[in-house]
Amino acid sequence: TMVEDLVDELVCICQKLSQNSFMPRLKPVIGVGSTLGGWGAHVDDAVFCLLVPLKPPLGHTFHLELGT
């Protein structure tokens, strides 16, 4: 939780600095398991996987594009 709190604080600072821009907005951090994407941890290693979702700026939307 300490790493998650640290990244969450960093995201809050980035949100305040980019309030009036057309850049995507960062949403609160989500902690995910270390098995995401086939990642694995050794016994002595600490693995932290955090997802930072993006929200489109006002007046814009994100859409998925189908690929190969």
Side-chain angles (χ1 to χ4, degrees):
T1 60
M2 185 176 80
V3 173
E4 193 172 340
D5 292 341
L6 179 65
V7 174
D8 212 19
E9 256 186 76
L10 179 62
V11 167
C12 286
I13 292 168
C14 290
Q15 286 173 332
K16 289 178 183 176
L17 292 174
S18 65
Q19 277 181 343
N20 297 323
S21 74
F22 287 107
M23 299 296 291
R25 309 294 258 182
L26 301 175
K27 294 186 77 172
V29 174
I30 301 170
V32 294
S34 63
T35 58
L36 181 69
W39 291 10
H42 298 287
V43 175
D44 296 335
D45 291 344
V47 176
F48 300 99
C49 299
L50 300 174
L51 176 66
V52 181
L54 296 175
K55 179 180 176 183
L58 292 175
H60 294 80
T61 60
F62 292 145
H63 68 276
L64 296 175
E65 293 184 6
L66 297 175
T68 56

